[in-house]
Amino acid sequence: MTIPELTQRGAERLLEQFIERRVSPRIRHKVRMSVETRGNNVTLFEHRPVFHMLGKWTNSKVAQFRYDPDSDRWTLYCSDRHDRWHRYTQKQPATAIAALLREVDQDPTGIFWG
């Protein structure tokens, strides 16, 4: 079972609003962010231009939110240097993705934004 449509749209809308707040229009030529949904996973990416390669951008995984339809909860994951996902153990699964997004924004461990 995949993410219910209303739940998915709400999560994507919340993440898009987060991106609008996080990345000021005056620096979007240097930093961009995007959201991708695949199955029960919603992934937040950061993009930056490649040095000395005009028009090319790198993609970095920031965080992944995984929805469990059985419990109706979201779980937060972080990516390691090998682009493997690991459960972020500092925050318990939540019914509202907003609680997990606040954790990513505040980044108390430095795992999401470095």
Side-chain angles (χ1 to χ4, degrees):
M1 186 169 156
T2 60
I3 304 171
E5 186 178 343
L6 286 176
T7 302
Q8 180 179 334
R9 279 193 281 156
E12 289 172 349
R13 188 176 329 107
L14 188 67
L15 285 161
E16 288 165 4
Q17 291 168 354
F18 171 78
I19 290 169
E20 286 295 315
R21 285 189 314 271
R22 181 113 184 152
V23 183
S24 168
R26 69 180 194 287
I27 64 164
R28 288 188 185 148
H29 65 287
K30 295 180 183 178
V31 179
R32 296 179 188 160
M33 295 185 76
S34 66
V35 175
E36 179 183 297
T37 302
R38 290 184 69 186
N40 287 351
N41 304 332
V42 180
T43 307
L44 181 63
F45 293 93
E46 181 181 71
H47 313 281
R48 292 183 181 264
V50 176
F51 187 66
H52 286 300
M53 295 183 78
L54 193 61
K56 298 265 186 189
W57 289 73
T58 63
N59 300 320
S60 300
K61 297 174 180 177
V62 175
Q64 188 173 79
F65 307 87
R66 295 184 184 177
Y67 180 75
D68 177 18
D70 293 332
S71 66
D72 192 31
R73 293 188 181 273
W74 292 93
T75 304
L76 180 57
Y77 284 75
C78 55
S79 178
D80 67 15
R81 62 187 176 138
H82 301 293
D83 283 338
R84 292 188 201 113
W85 292 108
H86 302 275
R87 188 175 177 284
Y88 180 76
T89 58
Q90 304 300 311
K91 197 78 174 164
Q92 292 299 311
T95 54
I97 196 171
L100 302 177
L101 188 55
R102 276 192 300 278
E103 186 77 5
V104 172
D105 191 29
Q106 294 168 359
D107 196 14
T109 64
I111 195 105
F112 299 107
W113 305 106

